[in-house]
Amino acid sequence: MLMGTRKITTVRFPALVCAALTGSLLHNTPVQAQDADPGREAFQTLCSACHTIGAGALVGPDLQGISERRSQEWIIGFVQRSQAMVDAGDPDAVAIFEEFNRIPMPDQPLTDQEVLAVLEYVEGTTTGGEPPVEREPATEAQVRLGRDLFQGHTRFTNNGPTCNSCHEVRGEDVLAGGLLAAELTSVVSRVGSQGVWAIVSRPPFPLMQKAYESRPLTDEEVGALVAFLERADAEQAMYQSRAYGIPLFFAGIAGASLLLGLYTLIWRKRRKGSVNQTIFDRQVRSA
């Protein structure tokens, strides 16, 4: 939930990932009234991958004091229909949309009470979530393993689905991937290495949760995928798509001209004129 107003310099977090704070529970199941603390359950299941409460910025902003910066009415409205508020020109919604890479936060099918349950937990918690941690630089072996895992050349330990069945990364020796989800070549620039680590290890998105709920990735696999995506991001300029439109247009004209010339050469001795006209002329001469 991207409702903070202070500028975050450590990481840049797209608004799409902030659906973690307010998305439906695992498998799109809404917060259940019978849970002892539905707000805590929602935060730990969905939000802690991207946010902390009083521990500093992780992937998204620190949520401590969020209710002091925004009214409950505004928060509920933004959670339920964020893009509509952006389109309507709400100043705060537009500012959030612009600050976080113009990626819309999906509208969430949560009731007012379910959103308020999360806010109540946030307001009553001194510290929650995990602060950013420093990692050792990735090794070449990790990068290679991450590339193989991403493409499916090496299976995940728990047989989770291959990443490129939904995502694509441009890079050396990387197969073209699916288009069902975001293109990930520059994901590290967008959300930071820590953000990628958090999302991969504890997916905040319902589809990812469903895909990996019983087939989680190991820490080694998460680290390898992050290393691979860091390398892809660093080298992305080498694999930018070129503008082939104009060269292909002229190549097409040249190819068509060549084919027409070849056909003319092959058929130069073809019969010309109408067969009926030849018979008619012969009949006229013999009359």
Side-chain angles (χ1 to χ4, degrees), residues 42-113:
F43 182 86
Q44 291 185 343
T45 302
L46 302 172
C47 314
S48 61
C50 303
H51 300 274
T52 72
I53 304 172
L58 185 57
V59 181
D62 188 334
L63 296 180
Q64 190 174 59
I66 186 63
S67 295
E68 299 174 3
R69 301 192 294 271
R70 296 284 186 270
S71 69
Q72 287 187 350
E73 181 182 4
W74 189 95
I75 293 171
I76 292 171
F78 188 76
V79 169
Q80 296 175 344
R81 53 186 186 279
S82 64
Q83 199 56 36
M85 293 177 65
V86 172
D87 295 339
D90 181 274
D92 293 328
V94 171
I96 292 171
F97 182 66
E98 294 293 338
E99 181 179 359
F100 293 96
N101 303 314
R102 299 180 60 84
I103 300 177
M105 173 178 167
D107 296 342
Q108 300 300 318
L110 297 179
T111 66
D112 295 1
Q113 290 72 25

Side-chain angles (χ1 to χ4, degrees), residues 7-224:
K7 185 175 181 181
I8 299 171
T9 58
T10 55
V11 293
R12 303 291 298 172
F13 175 61
L16 179 61
V17 175
C18 288
L21 177 61
T22 56
S24 58
L25 287 179
L26 195 60
H27 311 157
N28 279 335
T29 302
V31 177
Q32 300 298 318
Q34 64 267 28
D35 290 340
D37 189 345
R40 177 178 180 275
E41 177 72 15
F43 182 86
Q44 291 185 343
T45 302
L46 302 172
C47 314
S48 61
C50 303
H51 300 274
T52 72
I53 304 172
L58 185 57
V59 181
D62 188 334
L63 296 180
Q64 190 174 59
I66 186 63
S67 295
E68 299 174 3
R69 301 192 294 271
R70 296 284 186 270
S71 69
Q72 287 187 350
E73 181 182 4
W74 189 95
I75 293 171
I76 292 171
F78 188 76
V79 169
Q80 296 175 344
R81 53 186 186 279
S82 64
Q83 199 56 36
M85 293 177 65
V86 172
D87 295 339
D90 181 274
D92 293 328
V94 171
I96 292 171
F97 182 66
E98 294 293 338
E99 181 179 359
F100 293 96
N101 303 314
R102 299 180 60 84
I103 300 177
M105 173 178 167
D107 296 342
Q108 300 300 318
L110 297 179
T111 66
D112 295 1
Q113 290 72 25
E114 289 168 346
V115 177
L116 291 177
V118 177
L119 289 176
E120 182 179 359
Y121 172 73
V122 171
E123 292 169 358
T125 302
T126 303
T127 301
E130 299 178 4
V133 296
E134 295 293 331
R135 295 186 297 110
E136 294 293 329
T139 65
E140 288 298 320
Q142 286 179 304
V143 173
R144 289 194 299 271
L145 175 59
R147 182 179 62 229
D148 290 342
L149 290 169
F150 187 90
Q151 299 181 100
H153 295 164
T154 299
R155 294 293 299 171
F156 290 115
T157 300
N158 295 316
N159 295 317
T162 302
C163 302
N164 73 345
S165 60
C166 295
H167 299 277
E168 182 176 24
V169 167
R170 295 189 303 272
E172 184 179 7
D173 299 328
V174 180
L175 298 175
L179 301 176
L180 298 177
E183 199 273 340
L184 299 181
T185 306
S186 60
V187 67
V188 173
S189 293
R190 297 196 302 268
V191 306
S193 297
Q194 184 68 24
V196 176
W197 184 288
I199 293 169
V200 173
S201 59
R202 298 190 304 277
F205 306 115
L207 288 178
M208 288 183 67
Q209 290 174 347
K210 178 65 176 178
Y212 295 98
E213 64 173 332
S214 59
R215 294 169 287 186
L217 305 185
T218 66
D219 288 344
E220 180 185 7
E221 291 166 344
V222 173

